[in-house]
Amino acid sequence: DLWHTHLVAGWLNQNLTFNFPPLGSSQIDNEKVVLDWRNTVEWTTGHTTLFGVGFENNSVLNTGFGSIDDTETLVAAYLQQSLKITEAFTLTGGARWEDYDSFGDVLTWRVAGAYGIEATGTTLRGSAGSAFRAPSFFELHATSSSFIGNPDLEPEESLGWDVGIEQDLGPLGTL
C-alpha cells in the first residue's frame, strides 16, 4: 500500500466541583475538541513522506478559585520526509506550522540522521530542531491561594540537539 491515512477525533468534557470549607467552592467546566488527519506515503522502501493537518479547540470556565473564562483554538499543518540515502545512512527532516488564537503562528523544524555500522551492530544518531510551547490557561489566568496567573506570559521557544550511540547486544537486547 502506497498511502495510509488516519483520522483521529477526540472530545473531552469535564465538569468538576471542588469544595474548600470554609473558603467556598470552585466549579471547573472544560471542553476540548481535537482532530488530526495524518497521512503516510511510502514511495519506495526507505523513502517516506508524512503529512497532515490538525485542529484543537479548548475552552475553560472556572468559577471560584480560578476565575478563568477563555477559549483557545489551534490550527496546524505538518510535513516530514524520511529518506534512506544509502543502506547505512537515513536522513529525516520535518516542519510543523501552528497558528494560535492568542499567540499567532509559529514554524518549528527538526532534522535527524542515523548511520548504521552493520559489522558491529552500532548505530550513530544525531538530531537538531526547534520547539515552541504556549502558556496554558492556568498559567495565564488562574487565581488561587497558591498561584496567580500572569496574562503577560510569552510562549517558550528553544533550539536543541542530541547525539547518541545505539549498540545491538544480541540476545541481551539493545543498549
Side-chain angles (χ1 to χ4, degrees), residues 31-42:
E31 183 175 82
K32 187 173 193 174
V33 175
V34 177
L35 295 171
D36 184 55
W37 184 31
R38 180 172 299 208
N39 299 274
T40 305
V41 179
E42 188 169 351

Side-chain angles (χ1 to χ4, degrees), residues 16-20 24-30 60-70 143:
L16 307 168
T17 301
F18 298 96
N19 292 310
F20 302 102
S25 65
S26 182
Q27 175 73 34
I28 301 172
D29 297 318
N30 180 27
V60 173
L61 174 61
N62 183 348
T63 59
F65 295 113
S67 301
I68 303 170
D69 185 3
D70 202 0
T143 303

Side-chain angles (χ1 to χ4, degrees), residues 4-82:
H4 298 275
T5 187
H6 301 279
L7 178 62
V8 176
W11 176 66
L12 169 72
N13 188 7
Q14 289 179 315
N15 302 101
L16 307 168
T17 301
F18 298 96
N19 292 310
F20 302 102
L23 300 175
S25 65
S26 182
Q27 175 73 34
I28 301 172
D29 297 318
N30 180 27
E31 183 175 82
K32 187 173 193 174
V33 175
V34 177
L35 295 171
D36 184 55
W37 184 31
R38 180 172 299 208
N39 299 274
T40 305
V41 179
E42 188 169 351
W43 304 101
T44 62
T45 301
H47 180 194
T48 304
T49 302
L50 171 75
F51 63 95
V53 293
F55 169 83
E56 186 174 306
N57 187 36
N58 192 10
S59 62
V60 173
L61 174 61
N62 183 348
T63 59
F65 295 113
S67 301
I68 303 170
D69 185 3
D70 202 0
T71 298
E72 177 73 49
T73 300
L74 165 67
V75 177
Y78 51 90
L79 173 68
Q80 178 177 297
Q81 184 68 47
S82 182

